[in-house]
Amino acid sequence: MSRRVQTGCNNCKRCTNSGVAEFGRRQGKLWANVATVGTVAAVQAFTPSCRACGHKLSLHDSGDSPQGNAYPAPVSIQQAPPPPPPQPVPQGPPPGWYQDPNAPQIRRWWDGTKWTEHTQAPGSNA
């Protein structure tokens, strides 16, 4: 069994063919040139080449899905999700024990943004 070796472009038959398949492709090209008296070679002289591997674009699969023996197109790397929005800056006094605004006889814990359920007697130390 022959082995495929990717040497250049992942979508190019010449880059991804096995040695046996490449030999067959070249034989077909030779006989096409003989049969058309070199017309195929003249046309290929004006065919654009791939920037990645330098082979003629006629050897490349076209469209969204690969055809023939080409390797699948590389998977694009997704960008990282945007960072979460910054936390709001607390408004008001820093966290600590304060006189409860609704019950002046007790102290309630202020966490820097809101009152919590934690309370203590006014004379106790926390």
Side-chain angles (χ1 to χ4, degrees):
M1 181 167 167
S2 58
R3 185 177 128 228
R4 289 184 186 171
V5 177
Q6 185 176 2
T7 58
C9 182
N10 69 342
N11 206 25
C12 174
K13 291 180 181 89
R14 189 163 178 198
C15 290
T16 59
N17 268 348
S18 65
V20 174
E22 180 62 17
F23 176 76
R25 189 191 69 77
R26 287 185 184 204
Q27 289 298 312
K29 186 175 175 181
L30 171 74
W31 287 110
N33 278 315
V34 169
T36 61
V37 192
T39 306
V40 170
V43 169
Q44 287 226 329
F46 296 101
T47 304
S49 296
C50 175
R51 290 183 182 167
C53 66
H55 299 135
K56 297 295 180 183
L57 286 178
S58 60
L59 295 169
H60 288 67
D61 290 328
S62 59
D64 292 337
S65 61
Q67 306 292 319
N69 64 353
Y71 284 72
V75 177
S76 62
I77 298 173
Q78 295 180 356
Q79 292 181 348
Q87 295 295 328
V89 177
Q91 299 295 321
W97 292 102
Y98 296 96
Q99 185 179 14
D100 188 329
N102 297 325
Q105 68 277 13
I106 61 173
R107 292 172 27 170
R108 185 171 297 272
W109 181 258
W110 173 258
D111 68 3
T113 57
K114 65 184 181 321
W115 293 108
T116 67
E117 70 277 356
H118 304 290
T119 61
Q120 67 176 203
S124 64
N125 276 334

